[in-house]
Amino acid sequence: MYNVKLYNKISKVGLDDLDTAKYTCSEDFEDYDAVLVRSAKLHDVQFPKSLKCIARAGAGVNNIPLDRCAEEGIVVFNTPGANANAVKELVVCALLLASRKVVQGANWVKGLAGTPDIGPAAEKGKSTYAGPEIAGKKLGVIGLGAIGVLVANAATSLGMEVYGYDPYVSVDSAWRLSRNIHHARSVDELYRECDYITIHVPATEDTKGMIDKNAISLMKEGVVVLNFARDVLVNSEDMVDALVGGKVKRYVTDFPTPEIAGVKHAIVIPHLGASTEEAEENCARMAVKEVRCYLEHGNIKNSVNYPDCDMGIPSYPARVAICHRNVKNMLSQFTTILGQANYNIGNMTNKSRGDYAYSMFDLESPASRELVEQLEAVDGVLKVRVIC
């Protein structure tokens, strides 16, 4: 029986995919095998030694201590693409909100409540809230992952001229990208060319604060900037200065911050990007599937701190999975131990990612406790599991 600790409300649709004969879910476990989490911050949580994996029902993992988890042999998953359509729809909405002054006009009409001749009054004053169409305008999409590709393709369908920039675009994303997208050779080219700019990259040391006064200085006068990725990608103080000075006509963000909330020409949305029933269900189901594949079979998919690794469903008497540091001679040490203990290896794999690696061995006889202890004693080994 596996214990799964819930740190947030997780969609029942996802939890229903857990076999109740194998899994128990609760918010109250002290010892647990897996964590399902959405936005709860886990940096100060002391994890039990029994914890094997954490699945974030969403794409961002800033709320999880990835390095510490890797050092403790805890595999962390996210759910890329599960909420992509929900975010895409809100970005398209934001393009229209930024152009057509819908929010401002609606608020003005609200202030006319009780006016007997509200119809003629609204008709007379509506010119104040006129705005341009987005068809024919240039949109720059920074980041062509699951969300960026959908946004770029949707904008093309709406008649926009779309520029995309992503030096690390995956083969899968490239296949899904419309052939009508212009491939910007640099982000500076995108800044200079586009009337609208939307950001869809993860928050890393290289991307934090990427939209700052220097980036803004390269943009067109009256540019519209959308941020539905992470608040830290935009330097809030520089954005406020650009809004006040008129360089940026409108800034639409899904991340309220003290600096930007209430600033004129900013439209601030309360983090609604993935707040749809469909997105929450998709994220939950993907997170649960990742947990099940790892706990039951040892396979890793969509990890953010360990390499992806798949040996299918176990068909041998034992499968041993090892999380370890990515240093020399680890694999030879493992095979030596197995050979000296008279274990025949039916199948094996070894994958690495940065400073960490993952090895699996299918053995032709059951794994003993003594074998596990010998493997755990190897310098650099972080966690050893017998899957079956």
Side-chain angles (χ1 to χ4, degrees), residues 37-39 56-61 63 78-92 145-151 176 199-201 228-230 254-255 271-287 290 302:
V37 63
R38 291 175 63 196
S39 58
R56 158 80 163 96
V61 288
N63 56 322
N78 68 346
T79 57
N83 60 12
N85 187 70
V87 178
K88 175 209 74 177
E89 290 186 358
L90 195 59
V91 172
V92 171
I147 296 171
V149 165
L150 291 181
V151 169
R176 292 185 289 114
I199 322 163
H200 300 286
V201 298
F228 287 77
R230 283 290 176 267
D254 205 22
F255 307 99
H271 202 186
L272 297 181
S275 294
T276 69
E277 183 177 343
E278 294 86 350
E280 291 181 6
E281 291 177 359
N282 290 340
C283 287
R285 297 194 79 159
M286 185 181 289
E290 292 163 349
N302 296 326

Side-chain angles (χ1 to χ4, degrees), residues 32-111:
Y32 42 92
D33 301 282
V35 163
L36 288 173
V37 63
R38 291 175 63 196
S39 58
K41 297 185 184 302
L42 304 184
H43 289 278
D44 296 328
V45 175
Q46 295 302 309
F47 301 121
K49 291 184 178 180
S50 59
L51 180 60
K52 302 167 182 65
C53 62
I54 297 172
R56 158 80 163 96
V61 288
N62 294 347
N63 56 322
I64 301 171
L66 300 182
D67 292 342
R68 177 160 64 90
C69 286
E71 273 298 305
E72 294 180 18
I74 300 167
V75 177
V76 179
F77 301 97
N78 68 346
T79 57
N83 60 12
N85 187 70
V87 178
K88 175 209 74 177
E89 290 186 358
L90 195 59
V91 172
V92 171
C93 174
L95 282 170
L96 297 170
L97 293 179
S99 298
R100 300 295 296 274
K101 299 184 181 179
V102 176
V103 173
Q104 300 89 330
N107 288 336
W108 174 67
V109 171
K110 188 176 180 180

